[in-house]
Amino acid sequence: MTLRQAQGGSGDKYDLAVIGSGPGGYVAAIRGAQLGMKVAVIERAELGGICGNWGCIPTKALLRSAEVLDQLHHLDELGLRADNIGFDFARVIARSRAVAAQQAKGIAFLFKKNKIDHLAGTARLAPPRTLLVDGKEVAAKRVVIATGARPKGLPGISHDGDRVLSYREAMILPERPASLVIIGAGAIGVEFAYFYAALGTKVVIVEALPRLLPVEDEEVSEALTRSFVKRGIEVITGFGVERIDTSPSGVEVIIARQGADRRTLAADRALLAVGVRGNVEDLGLEAIGVKLERGFIVADRTHYRTSVDGIHAIGDVIGPPLLAHKASAEAIACVERIAGVKDVHAVDYTTIPGCTYCRPEVASVGLTERQARESGREVKVGRFPWRASGKARTAGETEGFVKVILDAKHGELLGAHLIGGAATELIGELGLARSGELTADEILGTVHAHPTFAEAIKSAVEDAYGEAIDQ
Amino acid sequence: MATTIVMPQLSPTMEEGVLLKWTKKVGDKINPGDVIAEVETDKANMDFTLEDEGTLLELLVKEGDTVKLGAPVAILGEPGEVAATATPGVRLPLPLAGEGRGEGGAPTEIKPEVTTKIERTTAQAEDTGRVRSSPLARKIAAERGVDLRSVAGSGPGGRIVQRDVVSVPLGSRRDNSADAVKEVSVAVPVAAQPSPLPSPASGRGGEGDQKIPLSLMRKTIARRLVEAKTTIPHFYLTMEADAEPLWAFHRQIKAATDEKITLNDLCIKALAVALARVPAANSSWSADGLLRYGRVDIGVAVSVEDGLITPVVRNAHLKSIGAIARETRDLVVRARARKLKPEEFSGGTFSISNMGMYGVREFSAIINPPEAGILAIGAIDKRATVITDGASETIAIRRRMNLTLSCDHRVIDGALGAELLREIVRVIEKPIGMVL
């Protein structure tokens, strides 16, 4: 089924029109072009979407500044000395914006190189199956919706962009707040907690669930909490937010544990980081009959087809996990299916890693220990603390551990959870092991270089079998 | 241009073959249709016929060698062409995944030195010989006794991954119902069921213990029976029949003809007649529906040296007893000589196994997939029997026999099984029905 040919339109007929240019959209567009399609990308804002402009990339730039500052404060441990350690907040923010701008430029270049038309404007679908860009019809055989997601509020509480921030404002504040209450301890919440705490802001982080990073393994949450508390971050878990009172000078966040133990947290500002919702509004989805469920577009996880022929959807807008690399993986699978590529690698949702870039870093893939045990399998758990790692000690990064969860019977790697060290880089090896269905034997049989952070992975597997050498 | 001749599939279940005898030698001119070798498959000894033309330049395997399907056996080319000039370095099929790692894990029978003399085999050899699979898939397959060569891979590039192996029923090979109908069948008593568990053979034997190498037939029997016993929900029904009428009928026939007609032939006929009367039982299970057969083709379990095979008597319900006897005799003789053609031992709709001649009173046989049942015939012997005649009951000495039906419960429920078995008993007790 194809979208209707435009009547008197530009005459350009696209094989593929992608709405959104984030890590889902731009990857879909380029893969489509590689496969010989004539592709248009409709983007109403900067190329690169949230990831490139307001998410992954600019926040990592901020965190880099924080991390280096953090290290400078600990130079004496390395026998080094520096005076006048400090920062210029405006320049930290400016660098982050510059890195984001570079990212957007990079995507513009890739579009040009792949002969992809960038249609700046707002896309809308109209019955029966017409694609409009700023009201003008664009003829395309297939549409891929990759409009992503945006921060959501809480019942009765929403962002005001000034005192009650979303991540978007939090990364471009004109000046560093002296105090900040962060509501929500998911990846965004804890990354900003680390960033602002490293710059000296008094940070309180509040999570309604019982622990930081509730989706991660419990031991990881515990270790992160210990580390945060050591850094002077106040961690309050099990408390929900009842109300936020704002004044020109600050906020008062009223929190409570199941309606009791009410407390008031006063701060310069509050960051509301309690999750995101799909960007499904104003696209004309209802009008053409694209089904939604819980605020996300309903799409299958093989062809990423929506309920309307010829209209596909990928990335955050079809629901969790809300991760850039998940969107990119879906983009490739979706477009390859559209193009009829043989042997498309279906996205394996059990091998998608999750990374959080606070210090200590957190990374994981697969099941947590609890999930693995609850699945009814017999499991073996192995751990290796960074303080036992030669490389980690030389680097002075001895917080945290590597934890692996293996199926006791076949040694299948069910899950891996890393905190500290080079967690977000090391998770790649474990993701490869999972997607390649390697077992403990293959990890143990792989000679890991010494001294490296990576050898801790092997050590953790050894530990699972009671064969740890260095522990 | 020299081409490499590979081991073809000569039986539907064949995975390797023993090259028994070369019937052509190096330098012989080959015309399409020429038999170049005799090959022992898991079922029978087959002629290896070539459809190509050329001159045999080289024989790559010795007589007696076991050769995997698709592995090179000979090189065909133009006279005078030197085989050794063919492109070297072509990969041979790797040792099969799942056959163990480390020491002793490479049971390839192909001599490595031939590798430099082969060409144009890569694609074909890889298609048929090498199995791409993940380490996890191999472990699970080894544990479950799944033969990876029979599993279709759904991973990258057709790689076999965990989900492919776990979706295969325990100890079985993948087959869809269409293939399954063509599957070759074997049937043996339960007692002969090989253990799917790690066998003591893999350990150290005691003094005087002897390890017998597995023949191709033995491997096939093992695989098929494990599949049948682990995937088919069997249940068993036994009835005792009055064998006097059958005994008398058999004597009458013997007196009337010189032809050798056995009690077994009569049982085949009785089963076929009963199946024709209870057609619902003459069916096969498949996931998308029961296949009710329009024919009654009886597989007859025949023991042969080192195994057994189940040749099929086609349309036994329509054939005369004499025709069944002649056909069965011929099939048995050729089965024991391992000369059956694949179509002669596949495609039955129901089977029969008779152990009466061994004095076995009663036994339960394993069903041959995709069939839904097998009839096990016990010995005819004299038993003290209560004879009821009106109001009087007396004990008499009568010939009796036990009949045990093994049913696939997915196809045949208890009542249907009982109906079929009652019908069989009825025919046996009134054998005149066999000739009507």
Side-chain angles (χ1 to χ4, degrees):
Chain A
M1 189 63 67
T2 61
L3 288 160
R4 222 154 48 92
Q5 173 77 49
Q7 302 261 323
S10 65
D12 247 344
K13 190 179 166 85
Y14 292 106
D15 298 309
L16 183 68
V18 181
I19 306 175
S21 67
Y26 91 80
V27 170
I30 293 173
R31 188 69 189 119
Q34 287 173 344
L35 293 168
M37 298 183 190
K38 178 87 186 110
V39 184
V41 174
I42 300 118
E43 174 59 66
R44 63 182 178 188
E46 308 94 332
L47 289 180
I50 297 299
C51 165
N53 298 285
W54 299 102
C56 319
I57 298 301
T59 57
K60 262 71 280 167
L62 295 177
L63 286 161
R64 176 65 181 156
S65 295
E67 177 190 316
V68 173
L69 181 66
D70 213 2
Q71 286 169 355
L72 287 174
H73 285 305
H74 294 92
L75 281 184
D76 57 325
E77 291 168 17
L78 305 179
L80 305 177
R81 207 166 34 233
D83 298 323
N84 295 322
I85 294 168
F87 60 90
D88 178 339
F89 188 74
R91 288 181 60 190
V92 169
I93 300 291
R95 172 177 181 270
S96 161
R97 298 321 303 158
V99 172
Q102 252 174 347
Q103 188 80 2
K105 253 196 229 155
I107 290 172
F109 162 76
L110 290 174
F111 281 3
K112 209 166 172 184
K113 180 183 146 192
N114 287 286
K115 301 188 171 52
I116 293 163
D117 288 348
H118 167 205
L119 311 180
T122 302
R124 197 180 164 80
L125 295 157
R129 286 189 187 87
T130 308
L131 173 65
L132 302 169
V133 177
D134 287 343
K136 236 180 101 189
E137 202 164 326
V138 171
K141 287 182 186 161
R142 305 266 192 155
V143 172
V144 172
I145 302 172
T147 50
R150 67 177 184 284
K152 67 177 179 189
L154 287 170
I157 304 170
S158 52
H159 314 91
D160 63 14
D162 176 30
R163 291 292 153 191
V164 183
L165 313 170
S166 72
Y167 59 74
R168 207 173 166 115
E169 296 89 33
M171 73 181 76
I172 49 166
L173 286 177
E175 58 192 28
R176 180 186 67 88
S179 55
L180 179 67
V181 174
I182 296 175
I183 300 153
I188 294 172
V190 301
E191 285 185 6
F192 277 106
Y194 169 76
F195 171 70
Y196 278 110
L199 299 191
T201 298
K202 169 144 187 46
V203 175
V204 181
I205 185 163
V206 182
E207 168 59 49
L209 291 168
R211 53 200 178 91
L212 297 183
L213 295 178
V215 301
E216 299 292 348
D217 192 85
E218 286 168 36
E219 280 182 67
V220 167
S221 296
E222 284 167 26
L224 184 65
T225 303
R226 279 196 301 276
S227 174
F228 269 20
V229 169
K230 221 162 76 185
R231 284 169 200 276
I233 298 171
E234 189 179 349
V235 175
I236 302 176
T237 56
F239 275 74
V241 175
E242 293 199 327
R243 199 173 78 237
I244 301 179
D245 294 335
T246 58
S247 70
S249 61
V251 295
E252 285 192 343
V253 180
I254 292 94
I255 59 169
R257 188 201 300 272
Q258 290 168 345
D261 300 334
R262 193 161 285 108
R263 287 178 63 184
T264 300
L265 307 170
D268 282 357
R269 297 179 198 260
L271 165 60
L272 196 52
V274 293
V276 298
R277 51 196 286 192
N279 289 323
V280 296
E281 297 84 358
D282 304 323
L283 276 167
L285 297 180
E286 306 78 2
I288 68 160
V290 172
K291 269 197 206 132
L292 301 177
E293 209 175 89
R294 295 156 157 232
F296 295 107
I297 293 176
V298 176
D300 72 87
R301 295 299 192 267
T302 313
H303 294 82
Y304 302 93
R305 287 184 287 230
T306 67
S307 51
V308 175
D309 274 348
I311 305 210
H312 301 250
I314 56 168
D316 284 359
V317 78
I318 64 168
L322 304 161
L323 295 165
H325 42 276
K326 171 255 192 189
S328 301
E330 290 177 344
I332 302 267
C334 172
V335 172
E336 289 188 348
R337 297 265 184 208
I338 290 173
V341 171
K342 276 188 194 150
D343 297 332
V344 175
H345 287 210
V347 178
D348 179 353
Y349 289 89
T350 72
T351 66
I352 297 180
C355 293
T356 306
Y357 297 81
C358 53
R359 286 277 155 168
E361 289 187 333
V362 173
S364 65
V365 67
L367 303 180
T368 64
E369 182 179 349
R370 178 188 286 268
Q371 288 168 337
R373 292 196 189 279
E374 283 174 354
S375 73
R377 296 172 184 246
E378 204 185 315
V379 301
K380 280 188 191 293
V381 176
R383 295 175 188 80
F384 193 77
W386 289 118
R387 72 185 132 68
S389 152
K391 181 64 186 288
R393 282 200 304 266
T394 64
E397 298 191 19
T398 52
E399 252 183 339
F401 54 81
V402 175
K403 174 175 175 178
V404 293
I405 292 138
L406 301 158
D407 176 85
K409 209 160 161 195
H410 304 115
E412 179 187 2
L413 179 70
L414 298 175
H417 303 274
L418 283 72
I419 178 165
T424 59
E425 296 298 332
L426 295 181
I427 201 67
E429 173 176 336
L430 293 150
L432 183 64
R434 247 202 87 67
S435 69
E437 293 191 350
L438 306 185
T439 68
D441 287 341
E442 286 72 42
I443 296 175
L444 293 175
T446 300
V447 178
H448 286 67
H450 176 78
T452 57
F453 284 103
E455 60 186 332
I457 293 171
K458 179 164 171 267
S459 300
V461 175
E462 285 168 355
D463 179 54
Y465 289 90
E467 298 171 359
I469 304 291
D470 293 309
Q471 198 184 350
Chain B
M1 181 75 163
T3 50
T4 302
I5 308 302
V6 300
M7 176 61 74
Q9 181 153 19
L10 298 168
S11 98
T13 52
M14 169 182 178
E15 287 164 354
E16 55 187 15
V18 178
L19 199 132
L20 291 177
K21 188 168 182 291
W22 285 109
T23 52
K24 297 281 179 186
K25 56 187 190 299
V26 171
D28 280 2
K29 174 104 182 65
I30 307 295
N31 291 310
D34 279 359
V35 174
I36 61 163
E38 197 177 316
V39 174
E40 178 195 357
T41 73
D42 54 337
K43 292 295 183 192
N45 296 343
M46 304 292 295
D47 288 338
F48 182 171
T49 309
L50 271 194
E51 295 308 326
D52 298 308
E53 199 174 334
T55 299
L56 261 187
L57 297 180
E58 190 154 0
L59 305 180
L60 302 175
V61 298
K62 296 196 303 287
E63 291 183 354
D65 280 358
T66 302
V67 184
K68 296 227 185 298
L69 213 61
V73 294
I75 293 176
L76 194 67
E78 294 307 312
E81 192 175 359
V82 183
T85 61
T87 319
V90 176
R91 276 188 299 170
L92 272 184
L94 293 177
L96 288 159
E99 292 197 335
R101 309 179 300 160
E103 68 281 7
T108 171
E109 283 82 7
I110 301 154
K111 303 296 173 281
E113 61 267 23
V114 304
T115 52
T116 55
K117 301 175 187 167
I118 298 160
E119 69 165 3
R120 278 180 32 187
T121 60
T122 314
Q124 197 172 3
E126 285 210 338
D127 283 352
T128 50
R130 188 178 167 201
V131 178
R132 284 162 49 89
S133 56
S134 80
L136 181 59
R138 289 197 289 275
K139 282 188 179 166
I140 296 173
E143 171 193 278
R144 297 185 169 212
V146 171
D147 184 343
L148 285 173
R149 288 168 295 190
S150 63
V151 176
S154 68
R159 187 173 187 240
I160 298 167
V161 294
Q162 179 183 18
R163 63 173 170 269
D164 305 321
V165 179
V166 298
S167 65
V168 176
L170 279 181
S172 82
R173 46 186 291 133
R174 179 187 68 97
D175 50 19
N176 57 36
S177 57
D179 288 337
V181 173
K182 287 186 231 130
E183 270 282 359
V184 182
S185 47
V186 289
V188 286
V190 173
Q193 184 194 356
S195 166
L197 299 171
S199 69
S202 58
R204 275 183 205 88
E207 203 177 331
D209 290 359
Q210 211 187 342
K211 191 186 268 186
I212 314 294
L214 295 174
S215 65
L216 300 181
M217 177 177 273
R218 181 57 41 197
K219 288 184 194 170
T220 303
I221 290 170
R223 197 188 67 237
R224 293 271 311 169
L225 290 180
V226 169
E227 175 192 353
K229 202 73 205 302
T230 54
T231 63
I232 298 174
H234 282 69
F235 72 92
Y236 311 96
L237 303 171
T238 301
M239 284 188 190
E240 187 177 310
D242 180 1
E244 290 292 351
L246 187 71
W247 190 265
F249 185 59
H250 185 225
R251 292 191 76 87
Q252 274 179 311
I253 291 175
K254 272 167 86 169
T257 171
D258 288 340
E259 199 154 8
K260 188 170 157 42
I261 289 171
T262 65
L263 280 164
N264 194 50
D265 298 329
L266 299 180
C267 291
I268 294 168
K269 181 67 181 176
L271 173 61
V273 169
L275 279 169
R277 291 180 189 167
V278 187
N282 191 36
S283 303
S284 275
W285 169 264
S286 76
D288 53 357
L290 297 183
L291 176 59
R292 186 171 295 180
Y293 294 107
R295 56 199 165 86
V296 181
D297 294 349
I298 304 293
V300 182
V302 175
S303 74
V304 300
E305 193 193 339
D306 185 39
L308 54 104
I309 193 160
T310 316
V312 178
V313 180
R314 307 278 165 194
N315 284 315
H317 62 312
L318 302 176
K319 285 182 178 152
S320 71
I321 292 167
I324 289 174
R326 280 189 296 275
E327 209 171 296
T328 307
R329 196 165 55 237
D330 169 58
L331 288 170
V332 170
V333 168
R334 286 190 300 116
R336 293 194 169 138
R338 309 203 66 180
K339 292 288 183 197
L340 288 179
K341 295 198 264 302
E343 61 270 23
E344 290 177 314
F345 53 77
S346 52
T349 66
F350 213 96
S351 287
I352 190 167
S353 178
N354 185 352
M355 296 191 74
M357 59 290 239
Y358 301 111
V360 173
R361 190 177 221 196
E362 175 184 324
F363 66 103
S364 307
I366 298 176
I367 294 168
N368 301 326
E371 297 168 17
I374 181 167
L375 179 66
I377 310 282
I380 295 177
D381 52 10
K382 291 180 182 170
R383 303 175 197 173
T385 311
V386 176
I387 307 288
T388 307
D389 183 12
S392 76
E393 290 185 333
T394 50
I395 292 179
I397 298 169
R398 300 275 294 194
R399 287 188 175 84
R400 309 280 291 179
M401 67 192 290
N402 284 13
L403 302 165
T404 300
L405 196 58
S406 306
C407 304
D408 179 345
H409 214 322
R410 297 172 300 180
V411 180
I412 302 175
D413 292 332
L416 179 59
E419 186 188 344
L420 174 64
L421 187 54
R422 202 177 329 111
E423 203 54 51
I424 295 166
V425 169
R426 196 172 289 149
V427 178
I428 281 178
E429 292 183 343
K430 290 199 169 50
I432 190 72
M434 294 183 204
V435 293
L436 291 178

